[in-house]
């Protein structure tokens, strides 16, 4: 095909990009692209905010010879450990970073934890410095290798935490403590006011978080999904976190078990439970139309077989937060083995420092590894599943796994989000590679030494 000087074919331009003037090459003995096989003696070529090439170092350098301009420059940073996509924290409240005293407490029940949380929250609301607290939490995540997050906020001052560090993700405005009448009279107006203020900030993306079935009556759970979908926003719900949200008909399809209650106008999930209907919170919200592929939930601890089927059927992902579940005394661990064996979409969240010791996703990954084995998950792909959960799985739950701004993966055209882990690498044998991946999953917390976000070095602790 011949192109004249004044013609432009976008397809030709995409396949034949303009010569590159400047490329940063990140090389390492082991790279985990997630969307492709692990690469030994690999390299990632970055130009601007995006990945240009990923492959073996030799192949990438040979390919760049064809891509560089006559005076183009390649700057290489070699790392002796593992390079992964930036991690995704699929559930956190960065606003509560200065509430670590609550997370260090010991509690007898979920209600006991709430009673410990509330006075500290009220005191800090009076002090009014949520912005600093949230931004400190965002910085902690960057230093741990996290480049994207689902961050839930209750104060507009905290909404810019992700943007303060250039982190991708969604800032979700949390909606809670509304009765039906109050919601219709004042709640919707208040929501619109807060969302309008958030839109004035330089935020990565805005979403809505209907808190939980025990803090909201029915009307908000009907209205909020409609509002979010009209505004092209995502939704994030605390769901199946507490024992009161559990159902009593594990083996019965909700197609049949809802017959006695689905046509009744229930004021709240609590009212349905008091009527002895035995439905789970997941089944209740499903009947209200609150679930869908634009929704992901946090915790999913009390999800039985039918609940898990509903989540899969609706395309709803689960952000697992095992350390938080222990501190807040949710009464049991999430059914990790069943989630894995049945094929639910999974990601990992740290929750906040008010219920977790750190904001390092890999701390929760290590706990999930142990829980899966304790629960009987015996397949040899566990480390691979967990690596996907902390990267591409989180991106998928945020709706950011495809398209021009895709994250959680290393491939040509993806956002150049990278984490550099200081763990021993053994690549001489297949078994050595698997042992290296297991080392990352089980002992990788606290080992990130550099973080690249959109091609920008956001953190470098002497990595090069």
């Amino acid at each position: 095909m011949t192109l004249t000087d004044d013609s432009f074919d976008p397809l030709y331009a995409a396949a034949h990009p303009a010569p590159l003037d400047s490329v940063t090459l990140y090389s390492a003995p082991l790279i985990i692209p997630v969307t492709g096989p692990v690469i030994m003696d690999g390299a990632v070529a970055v130009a601007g905010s995006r990945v240009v090439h990923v492959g073996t170092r030799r192949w990438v350098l040979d390919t760049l010879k064809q891509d560089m301009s006559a005076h183009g420059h390649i700057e290489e940073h070699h790392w002796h450990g593992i390079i992964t996509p930036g991690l995704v924290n699929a559930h956190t409240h960065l606003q509560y970073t200065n509430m670590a005293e609550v997370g260090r407490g010991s509690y007898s029940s979920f209600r006991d934890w709430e009673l410990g949380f509330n006075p500290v929250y009220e005191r800090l609301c009076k002090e009014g410095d949520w912005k600093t607290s949230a931004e400190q939490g965002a910085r902690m995540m960057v230093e741990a290798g996290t480049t994207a997050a689902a961050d839930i906020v209750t104060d507009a001052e905290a909404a810019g935490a992700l943007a303060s560090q250039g982190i991708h993700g969604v800032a979700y405005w949390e909606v809670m403590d509304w009765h039906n009448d109050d919601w219709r009279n004042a709640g919707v107006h208040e929501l619109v006011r807060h969302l309008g203020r958030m839109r004035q900030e330089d935020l990565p993306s805005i979403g809505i978080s209907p808190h939980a079935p025990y803090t909201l009556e029915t009307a908000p759970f009907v209205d909020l999904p409609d509002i979010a979908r009209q505004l092209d926003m995502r939704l994030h719900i605390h769901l199946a976190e507490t024992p009161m949200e559990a159902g009593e008909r594990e083996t019965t399809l909700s197609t049949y078990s809802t017959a006695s209650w689905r046509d009744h106008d229930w004021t709240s999930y609590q009212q349905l439970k008091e009527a002895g209907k035995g439905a789970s919170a997941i089944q209740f919200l499903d009947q209200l139309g609150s679930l869908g592929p634009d929704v992901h939930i946090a915790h999913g601890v009390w999800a039985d077989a039918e609940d898990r089927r509903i989540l899969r059927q609706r395309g709803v992902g689960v952000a697992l937060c095992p350390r938080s579940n222990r501190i807040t005394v949710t009464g049991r661990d999430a059914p990790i083995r069943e989630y894995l064996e049945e094929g639910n979409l999974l990601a990992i969240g740290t929750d906040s420092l008010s219920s977790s010791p750190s904001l390092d996703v890999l701390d929760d990954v290590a706990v999930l590894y142990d829980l899966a084995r304790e629960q009987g998950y015996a397949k040899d792909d566990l480390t691979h599943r967990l690596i996907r959960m902390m990267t591409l799985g989180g991106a998928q739950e945020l709706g950011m796994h495809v398209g021009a701004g895709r994250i959680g993966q290393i491939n040509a055209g993806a956002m150049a989000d990278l984490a550099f882990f200081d763990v021993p690498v053994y690549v001489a044998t297949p078994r050595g590679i698997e042992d290296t991946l297991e080392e990352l999953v089980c002992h990788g917390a606290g080992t990130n030494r550099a973080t690249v976000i959109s091609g920008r070095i956001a953190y470098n602790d002497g990595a090069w």
Side-chain angles (χ1 to χ4, degrees):
M1 181 171 95
T2 302
L3 296 178
T4 62
D5 292 340
D6 59 352
S7 65
F8 177 76
D9 185 329
L11 293 177
Y12 183 88
H16 301 80
L20 301 171
D21 294 322
S22 179
V23 168
T24 303
L25 191 73
Y26 297 100
S27 57
L30 186 66
I31 295 176
I32 306 175
V34 179
T35 51
V38 297
I39 302 168
M40 282 71 76
D41 189 20
V44 183
V46 174
S49 63
R50 299 185 183 277
V51 174
V52 178
H53 298 296
V54 60
T56 64
R57 181 175 178 275
R58 176 185 296 178
W59 178 85
V60 171
L61 285 172
D62 285 345
T63 304
L64 285 175
K65 292 177 183 177
Q66 307 170 35
D67 298 339
M68 302 301 295
S69 64
H71 302 288
H73 173 68
I74 298 174
E75 180 179 5
E76 181 172 3
H77 297 308
H78 181 73
W79 175 238
H80 63 260
I82 299 175
I83 300 177
T84 75
L87 307 188
V88 181
N89 190 334
H91 177 70
T92 189
H93 305 250
L94 296 177
Q95 178 178 336
Y96 304 151
T97 300
N98 61 356
M99 295 183 67
E101 62 185 278
V102 180
R104 290 191 292 265
S106 179
Y107 307 97
S108 60
S109 65
F110 188 82
R111 180 56 181 162
D112 191 28
W113 173 81
E114 285 184 315
L115 294 174
F117 176 95
N118 290 338
V120 178
Y121 176 77
E122 291 168 4
R123 185 189 81 226
L124 293 174
C125 279
K126 294 177 182 178
E127 296 176 6
D129 196 16
W130 292 123
K131 181 177 186 292
T132 299
S133 176
E135 291 180 358
Q136 288 174 345
R139 187 61 193 172
M140 290 178 185
M141 289 200 308
V142 170
E143 293 178 0
T146 296
T147 59
D151 181 30
I152 297 178
V153 298
T154 59
D155 191 291
E157 288 189 355
L162 300 180
S164 74
Q165 301 295 319
I167 299 174
H168 307 291
V170 181
Y172 293 89
W173 180 259
E174 188 165 55
V175 180
M176 62 189 302
D177 296 331
W178 286 102
H179 298 291
N180 291 334
D181 291 339
D182 294 336
W183 169 254
R184 294 188 177 98
N185 294 331
V188 175
H189 298 291
E190 182 171 317
L191 171 68
V192 171
R193 179 170 60 85
H194 287 305
L195 292 179
R197 182 174 176 183
M198 290 174 71
R199 275 186 161 176
Q200 295 175 4
E201 304 286 337
D202 184 21
L203 304 181
S205 184
I206 302 171
I208 301 175
S209 177
H211 176 248
Y214 53 86
T215 64
L216 290 171
E217 292 191 346
T218 303
F221 276 115
V222 172
D223 291 345
L224 288 171
D226 289 348
I227 293 170
R229 286 159 185 160
Q230 292 285 355
L231 297 174
D232 195 24
M233 294 180 178
R234 297 189 68 82
L235 295 135
H236 186 29
I237 309 171
H238 294 76
L239 194 56
E241 181 181 10
T242 60
M244 69 87 64
E245 299 171 69
E248 299 173 6
R249 298 186 176 93
E250 181 169 351
T251 59
T252 304
L253 289 172
S254 55
T255 307
Y256 308 109
S257 65
T258 59
S260 65
W261 61 266
R262 66 186 172 201
D263 295 327
H264 184 85
D265 293 330
W266 300 99
T267 300
S268 66
Y269 176 63
Q270 183 68 37
Q271 183 192 35
L272 179 140
K273 292 285 281 190
E274 291 172 354
K277 296 302 179 181
S280 71
I282 289 175
Q283 292 174 23
F284 184 70
L285 293 196
D286 187 43
Q287 291 296 312
L288 297 180
S290 301
L291 304 180
D294 52 355
V295 182
H296 80 285
I297 70 169
H299 303 294
V301 171
W302 293 91
D304 64 23
E306 174 60 3
D307 293 330
R308 298 190 298 271
R309 183 199 68 82
I310 289 172
L311 296 177
R312 291 193 301 275
Q313 188 78 7
R314 309 297 177 242
V316 177
V318 183
L320 300 168
C321 311
R323 293 182 300 153
S324 176
N325 298 152
R326 295 286 180 89
I327 289 175
T328 61
V329 197
T330 56
R332 58 172 284 183
D333 296 313
I336 311 303
R337 177 179 63 81
E338 289 87 348
Y339 275 135
L340 288 168
E341 292 179 349
E342 294 166 6
N344 284 78
L345 172 59
L346 300 173
I348 301 170
T350 62
D351 218 323
S352 74
L353 292 190
S354 71
S355 65
S356 189
S358 79
L359 298 178
D360 191 332
V361 171
L362 276 161
D363 277 319
D364 282 283
V365 170
V367 174
L368 287 171
Y369 180 94
D370 290 339
L371 282 176
R373 291 304 190 210
E374 290 168 9
Q375 293 176 9
Y377 189 83
K379 296 181 180 179
D380 59 7
D381 66 347
L382 181 56
T383 55
H384 297 260
R385 301 285 294 275
L386 289 166
I387 289 169
R388 188 193 191 280
M389 287 161 60
M390 70 186 188
T391 54
L392 189 59
Q396 188 170 351
E397 293 194 3
L398 288 167
M400 302 181 70
H401 62 302
V402 295
R406 63 189 180 277
I407 60 173
Q409 57 205 283
I410 306 175
N411 52 44
M415 298 302 294
D417 292 359
L418 307 170
F420 299 73
F421 294 101
D422 189 6
V423 298
V425 176
Y426 307 99
V427 296
T429 65
R431 182 68 260 168
I433 296 170
E434 293 301 320
D435 290 344
T436 299
L437 299 182
E438 186 167 312
E439 180 73 16
L440 172 65
V441 163
C442 295
H443 305 289
T447 68
N448 182 64
R449 297 293 177 261
T451 307
V452 172
I453 304 177
S454 299
R456 171 183 59 89
I457 298 174
Y459 172 66
N460 181 10
D461 183 18
W464 50 78

